[in-house]
Amino acid sequence: MSVAAEVRTRRSLVAGTVGNFVEWYEFGAYGFFATVIAANFFSSTATSDAESLIKTYASFALAFFFRPIGAAVFGRVGDRIGRRPTLILVLLLMTLSTTLIGLLPTYATVGAAAPWLLTLVRALQGLSAGGEFGGAVSIMTEFAPRTKRGLYGAWQSFTVALGLLAGAGLAAILATTLSKQALSDWGWRVPFLLALPLGLVALWLRLKLDETPSFERVQEQPRPASSGEVAKAIALGIGRLMGWSAAGYTFLVVMPSYLQATLNATFQQALVATVLANTGFAVSIIPAGWLSDRIGRRPVMVAGAALVVVLAFPLMNLLQDKGSGNAAKGIAVFVAGLVVGLMAGPGPAMLAEMFPTRARYTGLGLAYSLSNAVFSGSAGLIITELIKRTKNVDIPAWYVVVTCAVSVIALLTLRGDDHRRELRD
């Protein structure tokens, strides 16, 4: 690879991941501050804490259900006019909507209008997030050398971990340094307002990005991709991703509210647990992507999904056991994040290899966003509502076991040599 080509490749890696970092930093911050946001935007004298939290997660889920719309709209644009301009547009929308959350008036100020304003901004975030993944992964894998697609794609998932860790770390700092009243009054706004400078840095990096050689090549001989083939690949992709989506959000984002609302942990304890889970997630992602370039996507991802099935109940029971020490519980949540990383590392490259260049932005974006809309965005709502109705504290374990079991079956259909093949035009 020439020096110029290597510079373009590295630039694509940075520009592709930076927007993803901003996106997941915000989604993490929203999840970590769910109980505070519930009190500020969905509480009235007639509303219980549990009902407010459920409404907050409903708003959280709604943003995820706008992701497929964003994936379809921005994906079509990205497959027609290019990855670079579309990713710039997506980043601008994401930065604006995230910053607006930090400026919104609360229920105490504008009454019933507050939750509607929050929901509207979350919908805009969902649209932008839907357009982010497909473009970022397309950029990174289309620039990547054939033997390093798993490693390059893993950086997309790694920035998910970094974004969630940044959100959790900042939340932990604010919860430690501010009084409970200050955190509720204005401290929760800080993470969202910081999205503005982060977004401007990301914009500068994306303006320096080149278009991918794969996209430029297919533009010379434009022809549409088979819609039936793409639809079949999207459905199969959802099956392969659902375990990653469900387990990832259950262990990495929903866990703080679960620990507080169900297991009576303090806010600080819940955040420490979440930081440990996301650390485990981050530790395994890059090695998993690298390993999938050596032995294939299938064995690595199947191992991750199967381990979740085997370990979910023992890990959850350990957290529920009042006799378990903090060190044991810390190891439990760290391991939970670790096994999710085995799916997340090879996942982006696996998806990119499922679609031709002419439909890659749209196809992998829709597969990812639909899976996340159903199994990630709804995770908090489903788990909180089912625990409320059934009083069964094992609901999170049941949720991830069922979804990961389905993913194991879908992942077994992967060809063993996909990682060695060139990307299709």
Side-chain angles (χ1 to χ4, degrees):
M1 183 184 292
S2 67
V3 174
E6 189 171 344
V7 170
R8 293 177 71 197
T9 300
R10 290 180 178 177
R11 187 178 294 164
S12 73
L13 193 61
V14 175
T17 56
V18 68
N20 195 63
F21 172 85
V22 175
E23 172 196 340
W24 287 93
Y25 158 80
E26 186 283 327
F27 270 82
Y30 189 92
F32 303 139
F33 280 112
T35 52
V36 179
I37 292 172
N40 274 289
F41 285 89
F42 294 94
S43 283
S44 66
T45 54
T47 306
S48 69
D49 290 342
E51 289 173 342
S52 296
L53 185 59
I54 289 170
K55 289 178 181 179
T56 304
Y57 275 129
S59 174
F60 194 70
L62 180 68
F64 273 89
F65 279 97
F66 271 87
R67 283 186 171 208
I69 300 174
V73 172
F74 291 115
R76 189 167 180 81
V77 174
D79 283 328
R80 286 177 176 264
I81 70 169
R83 283 65 164 119
R84 178 184 179 273
T86 310
L87 281 172
I88 290 172
L89 177 60
V90 163
L91 180 64
L92 288 172
L93 180 59
M94 183 191 309
T95 302
L96 174 64
S97 55
T98 301
T99 304
L100 279 176
I101 288 185
L103 300 172
L104 288 177
T106 63
Y107 198 99
T109 304
V110 295
W116 287 105
L117 290 172
L118 178 63
T119 301
L120 175 62
V121 175
R122 295 294 298 168
L124 292 176
Q125 283 182 312
L127 288 173
S128 65
E132 172 65 28
F133 181 86
V137 174
S138 294
I139 284 278
M140 293 157 68
T141 55
E142 287 172 6
F143 269 115
R146 178 178 55 82
T147 58
K148 294 184 178 180
R149 281 198 301 266
L151 178 61
Y152 275 59
W155 281 95
Q156 190 279 340
S157 295
F158 186 63
T159 53
V160 173
L162 290 182
L164 291 173
L165 278 171
L170 182 56
I173 291 171
L174 291 171
T176 302
T177 57
L178 297 179
S179 67
K180 187 175 181 180
Q181 187 62 43
L183 189 68
S184 176
D185 289 344
W186 59 268
W188 65 270
R189 297 181 183 272
V190 173
F192 302 103
L193 295 175
L194 285 177
L196 181 58
L198 288 173
L200 292 176
V201 172
L203 177 62
W204 176 74
L205 290 168
R206 287 201 169 165
L207 288 171
K208 298 164 70 69
L209 187 64
D210 294 325
E211 193 53 79
T212 72
S214 297
F215 179 80
E216 291 176 340
R217 185 169 59 250
V218 299
Q219 290 300 101
E220 295 173 1
Q221 295 179 324
R223 66 175 187 272
S226 168
S227 57
E229 177 189 0
V230 172
K232 181 179 178 181
I234 290 172
L236 184 57
I238 292 171
R240 291 172 177 174
L241 292 180
M242 61 187 291
W244 169 19
S245 300
Y249 250 77
T250 299
F251 291 144
L252 306 177
V253 177
V254 175
M255 190 61 71
S257 295
Y258 169 77
L259 291 174
Q260 292 175 80
T262 307
L263 303 184
N264 299 316
T266 65
F267 186 61
Q268 287 82 358
Q269 288 172 331
L271 283 174
V272 168
T274 306
V275 169
L276 287 172
N278 279 280
T279 301
F281 181 57
V283 164
S284 63
I285 289 171
I286 299 298
W290 174 85
L291 184 61
S292 76
D293 284 328
R294 301 300 182 274
I295 66 174
R297 320 294 181 216
R298 183 175 61 193
V300 181
M301 296 188 72
V302 167
L307 281 170
V308 171
V309 173
V310 172
L311 296 175
F313 280 100
L315 291 174
M316 195 62 64
N317 291 336
L318 183 61
L319 291 177
Q320 295 163 358
D321 184 4
K322 294 181 179 179
S324 299
N326 290 333
K329 291 180 179 180
I331 292 172
V333 294
F334 181 86
V335 170
L338 198 76
V339 295
V340 175
L342 295 179
M343 293 181 280
M350 180 273 293
L351 275 178
E353 291 158 359
M354 292 179 65
F355 298 94
T357 299
R358 290 175 171 81
R360 183 166 297 121
Y361 197 141
T362 304
L364 69 86
L366 276 172
Y368 182 79
S369 60
L370 285 167
S371 177
N372 275 272
V374 177
F375 302 106
S376 290
S378 300
L381 182 62
I382 292 171
I383 290 170
T384 305
E385 182 65 25
L386 285 177
I387 291 175
K388 178 185 174 185
R389 289 178 180 274
T390 66
K391 311 301 181 184
N392 184 350
V393 295
D394 287 333
I395 290 297
W398 280 111
Y399 184 64
V400 299
V401 164
V402 171
T403 50
C404 283
V406 174
S407 277
V408 167
I409 297 171
L411 287 165
L412 287 172
T413 65
L414 279 167
R415 293 181 300 190
D417 64 344
D418 278 348
H419 61 296
R420 299 191 184 99
R421 297 170 179 258
E422 296 286 354
L423 291 175
R424 293 178 294 140
D425 284 343

